Amino acid sequence: MQSRKIRMLTETVDSLLQRGARTNLQKLLSKSHAADLSIVFRSLSGSETRATFALIDDVEKKAEVISHLDSELQGRLLPTIEMDELVAIFSEMSNDVAADAMGLLPEELASELLSRMARTDSLQVEDLMEYDPDTAGGIMSPEFVSLSEDTTVQKAAEVLRASDDVAMAFYVYVTNEFEQLCGVISLRQLVTSAADRSLKELMETNVMRVRWDTDQEDVARLVARYNFLAIPVVDDGNKLIGIVTVDDVIDVIREEATEDILKMAGAGQDLEELRSVPSRVASRIRPLGYLFLSGAIAVPLLHGFRDMFNSNLALIYFIPLLLGLGSTAAIQATTYMSRGWTMGVIRSRWVRRQIRRELYTSAVLGVAYGLGCGLLAVLISGWALGLVVASAVGLGMVVSTLIGAALPLFFVRFKIDPSLATHPMVRMLSMVAVLIVYLLVSSTLLWCRLGG
Amino acid sequence: MQSRKIRMLTETVDSLLQRGARTNLQKLLSKSHAADLSIVFRSLSGSETRATFALIDDVEKKAEVISHLDSELQGRLLPTIEMDELVAIFSEMSNDVAADAMGLLPEELASELLSRMARTDSLQVEDLMEYDPDTAGGIMSPEFVSLSEDTTVQKAAEVLRASDDVAMAFYVYVTNEFEQLCGVISLRQLVTSAADRSLKELMETNVMRVRWDTDQEDVARLVARYNFLAIPVVDDGNKLIGIVTVDDVIDVIREEATEDILKMAGAGQDLEELRSVPSRVASRIRPLGYLFLSGAIAVPLLHGFRDMFNSNLALIYFIPLLLGLGSTAAIQATTYMSRGWTMGVIRSRWVRRQIRRELYTSAVLGVAYGLGCGLLAVLISGWALGLVVASAVGLGMVVSTLIGAALPLFFVRFKIDPSLATHPMVRMLSMVAVLIVYLLVSSTLLWCRLGG
């Protein structure tokens, strides 16, 4: 339903652009939500984006649209805007968004922009630019409401009323004389409490917080687990320096999900950075390397058994079956195990139970598909080959599954970043393993037959 | 940092359980957050879970722990609890959580439980159980604050004060005489407005809403896009029936991410339902079927060219390389395209641009790895084979990439559910394609050489 709405908006913008219907386009833009426009912008070309953006008549709306754009589009659009307008737009943005966007600009442009922004804003933006973008500091907003312990409810409400630049104030944070975080009170509690009580009486003192250098994924996990709307960020001395709000957490979770999917498939890490051909090539060449490596190992392996193949050519017909089933089984196990890992805590007992179940699962599947492949082999060249293929495929699937299930555990045990293109690596290992299984099983069985 | 905390908690619970230190365990449980305990429970056995759960001394805490458990654990734990306690626990839960949990109980147990709960609660729970769990109705909470248009700010604050069972009231919804949604006002606006103004004067009338049957993914996308804290759910007559809050949206996003990853790898759909061996087998057998199918097609294909292989046995050494590189290239393209799709809107111009870039990318990678494989072939058996392998691998990678890039588009065009184990299906298609390319290229080149 919603995607239809966006598609219609995109098509209308497109056709108005083609027809050069500026006034109508302008009207449409002013009626549309900034978040929707940012999605439309994704499917416009560079010049169309510039033309459309220029027609948005309100600086605040422009700032909002920019905030919703992904960084690649921001990086392309921002340098094309004139300095005066850029200053106006950046002044409308919240400072954490401004800091992120500023990081995408050429250095000269950024420093000129900073020098022309209001002093308080530019100082804060510069501060924020210091943090690693993947940490609490990098995603936090420096705009929050903090008050001292002896503030009354009435006074707190007045402060809130005055601070309308704080976009999402659900909690009022209470700090002591050293600006250290010592309590929190929800907006709701504030509404429902007597006007003359002090924050100290009402506040919750056990406040969950994160340090500025906490990884953004950990921040997201905390907020998700405890159903927070925001979590305060403190510096090394427990001084409150910002808050991470739930909407930023949602962005982190979505971003990380895409990253996980791309990484697993060996297709890169970041959708935005992968637009150009050179970056696609760069992100894919290494994962392909794993398959090249295993394929290259297979060459001398198969070459070593050339006499066997020469006298039993039908053995080669089943290599694609063997590789396909083996590597798929391995990937299924790896995906299941590593996802189970992400979702919870792993104890050795859990691991043993999982490995055991994977073993049984692969045994059942190995018997089923082993028999299927064996039957094919019987049809092609008789019972002997049928036996070889059935045993090799069955055993190969079990070995592959166990390799796939164990790999995530090795990653964790040896603190290896599991981002190393899991699927291609699993396929590499399982390919080599099933080929060795196949060669050993077939040569052994054929030798027994010759012997018997 | 956080996962260490949970791991320590798990280990402590474990060792206290082993030592039978009931009193200490009880103390630890009462100190720990329900969300943390729910994660600990994931790695306990059935009997350990029951024993630990029984030691939680507070019914409210028990209800909270249950709410945080995933449905598989809920389904195992709940039927072991005595009816009296079950009634107490369900009465403490919010009704949307109760409805979800109720659906996991055996029918008899559920109806006895319903009959013993307070009338208002049980009616609401029964209503909620009617909705499809994957829709707005299935994830909404029926507990929200709605008031009529002429309510004053002062009166609204009083109502809020009285309704402390509404967990997350950030918005007050305004309804007309027919209970139809006609406006919304934020808690923050309420705090900062004069006490004698009416909601009608202050409310925002353009309220984004979803229907009860909207897919939960669409709900999540809306909330994420517009940074809402909650979105109202209406019935067919625009009557307000519930709200979906941002914490539920986070759960949906995380759940869908896991589902995407498992589906793509052909490892099932739902982590929770995949615990037992039979369900693992059931979810994996079909994706493996794609590979079986392509492998089975390969058998007569290779058999058909047996004379060529007989006189050029070295050709078979490169089949694993060819299959591995080809299918990886296809999966990389598919993952990139389908993820790009999920994140935005696709126009035919976007598609053409993407396909073109995939073509160039695969050409570069095909030349690189084609040369690599060709070199290996030269070393093994001379220039003729080198030429064959280099051309076949290069061309195979290009064809595979295009198949991988086009597949998500076909899914969308023909409205096929892309959940059909994307990766195994892509591997099936690319495997058959690269084998055909290999056989055609090698037979043509060898024929030319014989002819020349």
Side-chain angles (χ1 to χ4, degrees):
Chain A
M1 178 193 69
Q2 273 304 311
S3 57
R4 199 166 59 227
K5 178 181 147 197
I6 300 279
R7 194 159 55 234
M8 278 177 53
L9 183 59
T10 308
E11 278 161 14
T12 317
V13 169
D14 197 27
S15 80
L16 291 175
L17 266 174
Q18 306 304 331
R19 283 166 32 208
R22 289 174 50 101
T23 328
N24 285 337
L25 185 51
Q26 218 158 6
K27 257 187 225 157
L28 180 68
L29 294 174
S30 75
K31 270 194 326 190
S32 303
H33 194 289
D36 296 340
L37 291 179
S38 73
I39 302 180
V40 171
F41 276 26
R42 270 191 220 151
S43 53
L44 298 181
S45 72
S47 60
E48 288 171 337
T49 305
R50 282 193 296 280
T52 312
F53 188 77
L55 285 178
I56 301 175
D57 43 14
D58 176 21
V59 171
E60 201 182 324
K61 181 87 157 255
K62 280 185 172 170
E64 264 181 81
V65 171
I66 297 270
S67 315
H68 279 98
L69 287 180
D70 52 41
S71 50
E72 196 232 355
L73 272 175
Q74 286 184 348
R76 274 210 317 247
L77 179 59
L78 288 173
T80 68
I81 301 173
E82 272 185 47
M83 183 48 76
D84 287 337
E85 189 168 17
L86 219 47
V87 173
I89 291 175
F90 269 76
S91 308
E92 285 291 338
M93 284 182 188
S94 67
N95 286 342
D96 55 327
V97 176
D100 292 342
M102 192 79 77
L104 303 169
L105 293 179
E107 211 159 312
E108 260 177 62
L109 199 60
S111 56
E112 189 185 344
L113 188 53
L114 274 172
S115 71
R116 291 185 50 181
M117 282 170 68
R119 190 86 192 118
T120 49
D121 281 343
S122 69
L123 282 178
Q124 212 172 40
V125 168
E126 271 187 303
D127 271 357
L128 287 172
M129 286 174 74
E130 298 288 311
Y131 297 103
D132 178 340
D134 291 340
T135 62
I139 56 172
M140 75 183 180
S141 156
E143 284 139 7
F144 53 86
V145 181
S146 80
L147 297 166
S148 69
E149 297 172 293
D150 50 0
T151 316
T152 60
V153 167
Q154 164 131 37
K155 173 82 184 143
E158 277 163 27
V159 172
L160 272 182
R161 207 163 304 163
S163 62
D164 61 351
D165 56 322
V166 180
M168 281 200 162
F170 332 103
Y171 303 116
V172 172
Y173 297 98
V174 186
T175 50
N176 64 17
E177 49 191 324
F178 309 110
E179 291 183 68
Q180 288 171 326
L181 181 63
C182 59
V184 67
I185 176 164
S186 74
L187 183 55
R188 176 131 188 288
Q189 255 177 304
L190 220 51
V191 181
T192 59
S193 300
D196 57 346
R197 298 189 68 184
S198 78
L199 297 186
K200 192 169 189 172
E201 295 169 64
L202 297 165
M203 72 187 187
E204 164 70 46
T205 53
N206 183 11
V207 192
M208 193 93 59
R209 67 199 75 192
V210 291
R211 266 168 47 125
W212 59 277
D213 57 353
T214 308
D215 187 89
Q216 63 171 357
E217 253 186 287
D218 288 327
V219 178
R221 218 170 282 146
L222 273 180
V223 170
R225 187 185 310 153
Y226 302 114
N227 297 340
F228 291 144
L229 294 178
I231 192 164
V233 183
V234 295
D235 69 7
D236 293 337
N238 200 22
K239 198 182 127 189
L240 182 61
I241 54 173
I243 60 169
V244 175
T245 51
V246 71
D247 54 318
D248 293 324
V249 163
I250 288 185
D251 293 341
V252 169
I253 292 175
R254 283 162 56 108
E255 199 181 287
E256 300 277 351
T258 296
E259 210 180 290
D260 284 349
I261 287 174
L262 289 175
K263 270 184 194 167
M264 286 192 96
Q269 284 203 27
D270 189 331
L271 212 50
E272 290 170 27
E273 288 167 6
L274 292 177
R275 301 247 163 122
S276 75
V277 173
S279 65
R280 286 183 206 208
V281 170
S283 68
R284 293 180 193 185
I285 201 155
R286 197 175 71 161
L288 284 167
Y290 292 121
L291 277 304
F292 180 75
L293 200 64
S294 61
I297 294 172
V299 173
L301 268 181
L302 293 173
H303 185 63
F305 285 78
R306 61 190 174 283
D307 293 339
M308 180 176 81
F309 288 119
N310 249 327
S311 44
N312 299 276
L313 194 66
L315 278 175
I316 68 158
Y317 308 160
F318 296 88
I319 290 179
L321 257 176
L322 182 83
L323 296 178
L325 288 172
S327 63
T328 302
I331 286 176
Q332 289 174 332
T334 269
T335 310
Y336 181 80
M337 290 292 280
S338 62
R339 203 60 199 171
W341 190 280
T342 331
M343 301 302 279
V345 179
I346 307 304
R347 283 196 315 173
S348 51
R349 202 187 304 166
W350 184 90
V351 169
R352 280 199 300 275
R353 197 165 64 214
Q354 296 303 320
I355 297 276
R356 207 165 45 234
R357 288 190 189 166
E358 287 297 320
L359 179 66
Y360 298 152
T361 305
S362 66
V364 174
L365 293 168
V367 168
Y369 280 108
L371 285 178
C373 296
L375 203 66
L376 264 177
V378 170
L379 292 177
I380 287 276
S381 109
W383 288 100
L385 187 73
L387 183 64
V388 169
V389 169
S391 343
V393 169
L395 194 59
M397 284 179 73
V398 172
V399 171
S400 276
T401 304
L402 293 182
I403 289 176
L407 198 68
L409 305 177
F410 276 103
F411 279 147
V412 174
R413 170 68 60 95
F414 296 106
K415 302 214 160 85
I416 300 169
D417 178 9
S419 74
L420 302 162
T422 334
H423 287 187
M425 188 185 274
V426 170
R427 292 239 300 291
M428 169 182 79
L429 295 175
S430 73
M431 226 163 109
V432 173
V434 294
L435 267 183
I436 292 175
V437 167
Y438 191 55
L439 293 172
L440 290 182
V441 167
S442 52
S443 58
T444 310
L445 288 178
L446 290 172
W447 180 84
C448 288
R449 198 167 142 251
L450 287 178
Chain B
M1 176 192 73
Q2 272 305 310
S3 59
R4 199 164 61 224
K5 177 181 148 195
I6 300 278
R7 194 159 57 234
M8 278 177 52
L9 183 60
T10 309
E11 277 162 15
T12 317
V13 168
D14 196 27
S15 79
L16 291 175
L17 266 174
Q18 306 303 334
R19 283 165 33 206
R22 289 173 50 101
T23 328
N24 285 339
L25 185 50
Q26 219 155 7
K27 259 186 224 155
L28 180 67
L29 295 174
S30 73
K31 271 195 323 195
S32 303
H33 194 290
D36 297 339
L37 291 180
S38 74
I39 303 181
V40 171
F41 276 28
R42 269 191 220 151
S43 54
L44 299 181
S45 73
S47 59
E48 288 171 336
T49 305
R50 282 193 297 279
T52 313
F53 187 76
L55 286 178
I56 301 174
D57 43 15
D58 175 22
V59 171
E60 202 183 323
K61 181 87 157 256
K62 279 185 172 171
E64 264 181 82
V65 171
I66 297 269
S67 314
H68 279 99
L69 287 179
D70 53 40
S71 51
E72 196 232 357
L73 271 174
Q74 287 184 347
R76 274 211 317 248
L77 179 59
L78 288 173
T80 69
I81 301 172
E82 273 186 47
M83 182 48 75
D84 287 336
E85 190 168 18
L86 220 46
V87 174
I89 291 174
F90 270 75
S91 308
E92 287 290 340
M93 284 179 187
S94 67
N95 285 342
D96 55 326
V97 177
D100 293 342
M102 192 79 78
L104 303 168
L105 295 178
E107 210 160 312
E108 259 176 64
L109 198 61
S111 57
E112 191 185 342
L113 188 53
L114 275 172
S115 71
R116 292 184 51 182
M117 282 169 68
R119 191 84 191 121
T120 48
D121 282 344
S122 70
L123 282 177
Q124 212 172 40
V125 169
E126 272 186 301
D127 272 358
L128 287 171
M129 286 174 73
E130 299 288 310
Y131 296 105
D132 179 340
D134 292 339
T135 61
I139 55 172
M140 75 182 181
S141 156
E143 284 138 7
F144 53 86
V145 182
S146 80
L147 298 167
S148 69
E149 297 171 293
D150 50 0
T151 316
T152 60
V153 167
Q154 163 132 37
K155 174 80 185 144
E158 278 163 26
V159 172
L160 272 182
R161 207 165 302 164
S163 63
D164 60 352
D165 57 322
V166 180
M168 282 199 161
F170 333 103
Y171 303 117
V172 172
Y173 297 97
V174 186
T175 50
N176 64 14
E177 49 189 326
F178 309 110
E179 292 183 64
Q180 288 171 325
L181 180 63
C182 58
V184 66
I185 175 165
S186 75
L187 184 55
R188 175 132 187 288
Q189 254 177 303
L190 220 52
V191 181
T192 58
S193 300
D196 57 345
R197 298 189 68 184
S198 79
L199 297 186
K200 194 170 188 170
E201 297 170 63
L202 298 164
M203 73 188 187
E204 163 69 45
T205 53
N206 183 12
V207 193
M208 193 91 63
R209 66 199 76 193
V210 291
R211 266 167 47 122
W212 58 277
D213 57 353
T214 307
D215 188 272
Q216 63 172 356
E217 253 185 288
D218 289 328
V219 179
R221 219 168 282 147
L222 273 181
V223 170
R225 187 185 310 152
Y226 302 113
N227 296 341
F228 290 146
L229 294 178
I231 193 164
V233 183
V234 294
D235 69 7
D236 293 337
N238 200 22
K239 198 183 126 187
L240 181 62
I241 56 174
I243 59 169
V244 176
T245 52
V246 72
D247 54 320
D248 294 324
V249 163
I250 288 186
D251 293 341
V252 169
I253 292 175
R254 283 163 55 107
E255 200 181 288
E256 301 276 352
T258 296
E259 211 180 291
D260 284 350
I261 287 174
L262 290 174
K263 269 183 194 167
M264 285 191 98
Q269 285 204 25
D270 188 331
L271 211 51
E272 292 170 25
E273 286 168 5
L274 292 177
R275 301 247 163 123
S276 74
V277 173
S279 65
R280 287 183 204 207
V281 170
S283 68
R284 294 180 192 184
I285 201 156
R286 198 176 70 162
L288 284 167
Y290 292 121
L291 277 303
F292 180 74
L293 200 65
S294 61
I297 294 171
V299 172
L301 268 181
L302 293 173
H303 185 63
F305 285 79
R306 60 189 171 285
D307 294 338
M308 180 177 78
F309 289 120
N310 247 327
S311 43
N312 299 278
L313 195 66
L315 277 176
I316 67 160
Y317 308 159
F318 296 88
I319 290 180
L321 256 177
L322 182 83
L323 297 178
L325 289 172
S327 62
T328 301
I331 287 176
Q332 290 174 331
T334 270
T335 310
Y336 181 79
M337 289 293 280
S338 62
R339 202 61 199 169
W341 191 279
T342 335
M343 302 301 280
V345 180
I346 308 302
R347 284 196 315 174
S348 49
R349 200 186 306 167
W350 184 90
V351 169
R352 279 199 302 273
R353 198 165 61 212
Q354 296 301 320
I355 297 275
R356 206 164 47 233
R357 289 190 190 166
E358 286 297 319
L359 179 65
Y360 299 153
T361 306
S362 67
V364 175
L365 292 169
V367 168
Y369 280 109
L371 285 178
C373 297
L375 205 65
L376 264 177
V378 170
L379 292 178
I380 287 277
S381 109
W383 288 101
L385 187 72
L387 182 64
V388 169
V389 169
S391 346
V393 168
L395 194 58
M397 284 179 73
V398 172
V399 170
S400 273
T401 304
L402 293 181
I403 289 177
L407 198 68
L409 305 177
F410 277 102
F411 278 147
V412 174
R413 170 67 61 94
F414 296 106
K415 300 214 160 82
I416 300 169
D417 178 9
S419 75
L420 301 164
T422 334
H423 286 188
M425 189 185 272
V426 170
R427 292 240 299 290
M428 170 182 79
L429 295 174
S430 73
M431 225 163 109
V432 173
V434 293
L435 268 183
I436 292 176
V437 166
Y438 191 54
L439 293 172
L440 290 182
V441 167
S442 52
S443 58
T444 311
L445 287 179
L446 289 172
W447 180 84
C448 288
R449 197 167 140 251
L450 286 178

